[in-house]
Amino acid sequence: MTGFVIFILDGILGIAYWAIIISAIMSWLIAFNVINTHNRVVYNIHYTLDRITGPILEPFRRLIPTLGGIDISPIFALLIISGMRRFLIPMAYNGLHPILG
């Protein structure tokens, strides 16, 4: 049971990690006018990614000021997610496995 819960948690963090990366790349492509949000598919993808990553990035955006118009909050969010996946999830598994089985 513990393994399944850890698997789901790791999967959710993995999806969040890749959603932040794709959202950042897409925002650069939109900013440099490589892709256009007038295209309905591009708009829907951008909107969906923004709705997924917005709640994750908002606390970082409040704490970290933009540097000359560049938002570096995704970098810190990716570092936190990577740390959680690398250190906290194995610790949680090792701590919960003897208790829950």
Side-chain angles (χ1 to χ4, degrees):
M1 180 68 173
T2 306
F4 180 72
V5 171
I6 297 298
F7 174 77
I8 295 297
L9 182 60
D10 187 54
I12 290 170
L13 289 173
I15 290 170
Y17 184 89
W18 285 106
I20 290 170
I21 289 175
I22 293 168
S23 178
I25 291 171
M26 194 165 190
S27 70
W28 297 336
L29 293 175
I30 290 170
F32 291 117
N33 208 18
V34 175
I35 58 176
N36 195 341
T37 56
H38 293 294
N39 183 337
R40 194 72 182 152
V41 174
V42 172
Y43 175 80
N44 285 336
I45 293 171
H46 180 63
Y47 178 77
T48 303
L49 287 173
D50 190 46
R51 299 288 289 181
I52 292 170
T53 61
I56 299 169
L57 296 176
E58 189 58 37
F60 295 101
R61 288 182 177 145
R62 281 189 299 228
L63 294 173
I64 304 165
T66 58
L67 300 175
I70 298 173
D71 183 18
I72 59 169
S73 61
I75 295 169
F76 289 99
L78 291 174
L79 286 172
I80 297 293
I81 290 172
S82 295
M84 290 173 68
R85 290 181 78 188
R86 179 175 247 182
F87 299 110
L88 292 182
I89 287 181
M91 286 173 45
Y93 179 77
N94 292 335
L96 291 175
H97 187 64
I99 297 169
L100 299 176

